[in-house]
């Protein structure tokens, strides 16, 4: 058991014991107070029956008949006290019992009665549970047997010697001990699983799953376990992505470096081809420089340090310049870039980054479109969500459905494409768009080709 378990256990146990002792003490004190208040007068049904019988005997038979009745009673005798505080059988009467009987007279006529006798006296009739017929106070023994109509029960007759009820308290403490243990175990068990999972993750093992270990719990600790599983899943994906990125970068650099070394070797062996070798070296150096530049841009986007200038961008002007540049490149393939729609929206962001993102997507569409085809760019403003959607549609081979999300990963090139490139254009585009609070998605067109939708939040609308 860990330290947290024992902390839970002892604090819960202490709280339950304190509550048990406090409640038990209050109930015990209340019982003692109630007993002290009513212990001098017997208010049980048998006592009321005897008082009623004594009252009827005195009323109809007189003092002598009452004396004879009281003499015949062996275990419980009714006291008969006149107005001069003289008991009919000359028995000593506790002063507290007499005082209490007079106080109860108007409230409990069945237990205490005042009856006039034929000789002119008035007798107060009541029964005191602690007085015997022989006149001794406090009958010896802890209990007195009360018999009435063939039934018996034990009553306590020595309240001054009564002890605090330790047995109920011990039972309550034992129950508190059990439930404190169960409750502490219930909280400490999932935390122990979390500790073990974190230890495994610190050693590089990200395959441990807490959702299974939590069982059917439905509380904050199980939510924490699910969050941990989600975190390890993301970490594992990130580590795999880093390994793949390292592999892809190595692969992408290997080819131009190999050609660069071959060109240098050729220049050294054949000086007469120096000019051609230098041109090859320049091209390969440019490719390496472009790859490094794109990798640096991707790294800055992922770390969030690219926002150097934020301003309101007129999307009409931005898209116009991008389409003009794309048309110049498309004309070499006898393709045409068509823009349908007009934009009256402003977007807050970095104009250079947004231009690069949109240009990457549009140039990608031009690259994969067959010669003589048309590339279409459409814009649509959603007034409800205040989002501008820029859609770029080509007539190329499209992308298999299983690869639609993968095309935005670094260094990924579709399985049905053989064009040159590093596979970083769409990866950079999606990170730029997401950094501006937007989103990007791809889908195959029914008539053939690929459609990429870029959604950007609109900050304002230009009134015409």
């Amino acid at each position: 058991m860990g330290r947290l378990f024992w902390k839970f256990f002892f604090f819960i146990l202490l709280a339950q014991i304190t509550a048990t002792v406090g409640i038990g003490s209050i109930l015990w004190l209340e019982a003692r107070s109630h007993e002290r208040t009513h212990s001098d007068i017997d208010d049980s049904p048998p006592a009321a029956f005897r008082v009623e019988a004594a009252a009827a005997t005195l009323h109809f038979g007189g003092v002598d008949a009452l004396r004879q009745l009281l003499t015949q009673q062996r275990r419980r005798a009714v006291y008969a006290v006149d107005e001069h505080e003289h008991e009919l059988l000359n028995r000593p009467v506790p002063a507290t019992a007499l005082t209490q009987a007079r106080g109860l007279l108007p409230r409990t006529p069945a237990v205490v009665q005042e009856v006039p006798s034929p000789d002119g006296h008035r007798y107060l009739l009541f029964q005191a549970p602690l007085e015997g017929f022989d006149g001794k106070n406090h009958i010896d023994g802890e209990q007195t047997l009360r018999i009435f109509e063939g039934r018996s029960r034990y009553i306590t007759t020595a309240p001054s010697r009564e002890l605090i009820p330790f047995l109920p308290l011990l039972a309550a403490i034992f129950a508190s001990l059990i439930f404190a243990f169960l409750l502490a175990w219930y909280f400490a068990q999932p935390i122990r699983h979390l500790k073990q999972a974190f230890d495994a993750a610190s050693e590089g093992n990200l395959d441990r799953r807490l959702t299974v270990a939590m069982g059917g719990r439905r509380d904050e600790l199980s939510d924490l376990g699910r969050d941990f599983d989600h975190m390890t899943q993301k970490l594992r994906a990130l580590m795999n992505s880093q390994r793949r990125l390292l592999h892809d970068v190595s692969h992408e650099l290997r080819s131009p470096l190999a050609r660069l070394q071959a060109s240098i070797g050729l220049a050294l062996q054949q000086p007469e081809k120096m000019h051609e070798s230098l041109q090859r070296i320049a091209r390969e150096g440019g490719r390496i420089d472009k790859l490094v530049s794109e990798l640096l841009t991707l790294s800055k986007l992922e770390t969030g340090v690219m926002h150097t200038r934020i301003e309101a961008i007129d999307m009409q002007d931005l898209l116009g310049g991008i389409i003009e540049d794309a048309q110049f490149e498309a004309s070499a393939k006898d393709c045409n870039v068509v823009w349908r729609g007009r934009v009256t929206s402003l977007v807050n962001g970095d104009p250079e980054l947004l231009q690069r993102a949109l240009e990457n997507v549009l140039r990608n569409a031009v690259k994969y479109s067959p010669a003589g085809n048309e590339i279409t760019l459409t814009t649509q403003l959603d007034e409800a969500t205040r989002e501008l959607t820029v859609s770029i549609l080509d007539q190329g081979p499209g992308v298999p459905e299983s690869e639609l999300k993968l095309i935005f990963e670094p260094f990924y090139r579709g399985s049905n494409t053989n064009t040159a490139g590093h596979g970083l254009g769409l990866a950079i585009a999606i990170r730029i768009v997401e950094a501006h609070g937007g989103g990007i998605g791809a889908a195959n067109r029914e008539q053939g080709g690929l459609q990429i939708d870029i959604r950007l939040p609109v900050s304002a609308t230009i009134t015409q």
Side-chain angles (χ1 to χ4, degrees):
M1 301 298 178
R3 290 170 294 177
L4 185 62
F5 169 84
W6 290 113
K7 287 181 180 179
F8 270 115
F9 177 79
F10 282 120
F11 276 106
I12 295 170
L13 180 62
L14 180 61
Q16 291 183 338
I17 290 176
T18 303
T20 300
V21 173
I23 296 173
S25 300
I26 292 173
L27 294 177
W28 178 74
L29 291 174
E30 184 179 357
R32 286 293 302 271
S33 175
H34 183 271
E35 186 174 349
R36 287 174 180 173
T37 303
H38 299 285
S39 61
D40 292 334
I41 300 297
D42 191 346
D43 57 355
S44 64
F49 176 79
R50 293 190 186 96
V51 170
E52 186 66 31
T57 302
L58 177 61
H59 181 73
F60 294 103
V63 177
D64 294 335
L66 178 59
R67 184 181 290 110
Q68 183 178 3
L69 174 65
L70 297 181
T71 302
Q72 293 175 352
Q73 292 179 349
R74 297 296 181 185
R75 294 191 176 275
R76 284 300 183 196
V78 175
Y79 288 103
V81 183
D82 61 12
E83 65 273 14
H84 301 296
E85 297 187 359
H86 176 263
E87 208 277 325
L88 185 61
L89 299 181
N90 295 320
R91 294 172 296 179
V93 181
T96 56
L98 185 59
T99 302
Q100 188 176 3
R102 288 173 177 168
L104 293 175
L105 178 62
R107 291 181 294 169
T108 56
V111 177
V112 181
Q113 297 190 29
E114 188 176 27
V115 181
S117 66
D119 59 2
H121 294 284
R122 299 183 66 84
Y123 286 91
L124 186 65
L125 305 177
F126 62 92
Q127 180 174 312
L130 300 182
E131 297 297 325
F133 178 74
D134 55 1
K136 295 180 181 179
N137 290 329
H138 307 292
I139 297 177
D140 294 337
E142 294 294 329
Q143 296 179 329
T144 298
L145 182 64
R146 173 179 294 174
I147 303 175
F148 178 69
E149 295 181 350
R151 293 174 295 175
S152 63
R153 64 191 178 105
Y154 287 94
I155 61 170
T156 300
T157 59
S160 60
R161 296 171 60 185
E162 182 180 356
L163 301 177
I164 297 176
F166 285 107
L167 186 59
L169 289 179
L170 289 176
I173 292 174
F174 181 72
S176 299
L177 186 69
I178 295 176
F179 283 101
F181 178 87
L182 294 176
L183 189 58
W185 179 86
Y186 180 76
F187 281 109
Q189 184 74 5
I191 296 177
R192 185 161 54 251
H193 288 311
L194 278 170
K195 180 180 180 301
Q196 295 172 354
F198 275 109
D199 291 340
S202 65
E203 296 176 358
N205 181 14
L206 299 178
D207 296 328
R208 192 182 185 96
R209 288 290 171 268
L210 285 177
T211 305
V212 178
M214 291 295 180
R217 296 177 68 101
R218 294 293 182 271
D219 52 21
E220 287 77 4
L221 290 175
S222 63
D223 294 340
L224 183 60
R226 284 190 291 271
D227 292 340
F228 176 84
D229 291 345
H230 183 68
M231 179 192 70
T232 55
Q233 182 179 1
K234 290 290 186 182
L235 285 175
R236 187 169 56 256
L238 180 60
M239 292 175 63
N240 293 335
S241 176
Q242 289 179 341
R243 294 191 187 100
R244 188 173 62 253
L245 179 63
L246 182 60
H247 174 270
D248 292 337
V249 169
S250 301
H251 178 74
E252 292 293 333
L253 288 174
R254 183 181 301 167
S255 296
L257 285 175
R259 290 191 294 268
L260 190 63
Q261 291 175 349
S263 299
I264 294 174
L266 182 63
L268 293 175
Q269 294 176 6
Q270 300 178 2
E272 67 277 6
K273 295 183 178 180
M274 179 68 70
H275 182 70
E276 296 178 2
S277 298
L278 290 177
Q279 289 181 339
R280 167 65 67 176
I281 292 172
R283 284 198 302 270
E284 299 303 333
R287 290 175 181 174
I288 294 175
D289 180 70
K290 182 180 179 182
L291 174 61
V292 172
S293 176
E294 290 181 344
L295 286 173
L296 183 61
T297 301
L298 185 64
S299 175
K300 289 181 178 180
L301 287 171
E302 289 181 343
T303 55
V305 296
M306 288 294 292
H307 290 291
T308 57
R309 184 180 61 174
I310 302 298
E311 60 183 60
I313 305 170
D314 187 344
M315 296 302 296
Q316 178 75 17
D317 295 340
L318 183 67
L319 289 173
I322 294 173
I323 292 175
E324 183 178 350
D325 295 339
Q327 179 61 50
F328 177 78
E329 185 175 344
S331 60
K333 299 176 61 176
D334 196 24
C335 291
N336 189 29
V337 180
V338 179
W339 182 9
R340 293 190 174 93
R342 181 174 178 81
V343 184
T344 60
S345 303
L346 297 179
V347 174
N348 286 335
D350 189 320
E352 292 183 2
L353 289 179
L354 275 182
Q355 179 178 354
R356 184 167 187 177
L358 294 167
E359 190 177 62
N360 284 350
V361 177
L362 188 55
R363 291 184 63 190
N364 219 47
V366 172
K367 181 189 301 184
Y368 291 108
S369 291
N373 283 279
E374 183 178 270
I375 298 96
T376 305
L377 186 146
T378 63
T379 55
Q380 183 178 3
L381 176 63
D382 190 337
E383 294 291 348
T385 60
R386 300 295 297 168
E387 279 189 343
L388 174 66
T389 301
V390 179
S391 300
I392 298 174
L393 303 85
D394 62 45
Q395 297 177 352
V399 177
E401 292 294 329
S402 59
E403 300 179 6
L404 285 176
K405 292 184 178 180
L406 298 177
I407 61 176
F408 297 102
E409 295 294 328
F411 296 106
Y412 184 83
R413 288 190 289 269
S415 58
N416 56 353
T417 60
N418 296 315
T419 58
H422 303 299
L424 293 174
L426 292 181
I428 292 174
I430 190 173
R431 284 159 177 79
I432 292 176
V433 172
E434 289 177 348
H436 285 77
I440 187 170
N444 287 308
R445 302 173 62 191
E446 294 182 359
Q447 59 272 33
L450 186 68
Q451 175 177 339
I452 293 182
D453 296 324
I454 301 172
R455 302 180 307 278
L456 293 168
V458 174
S459 59
T461 301
I462 302 175
T463 57
Q464 300 295 329

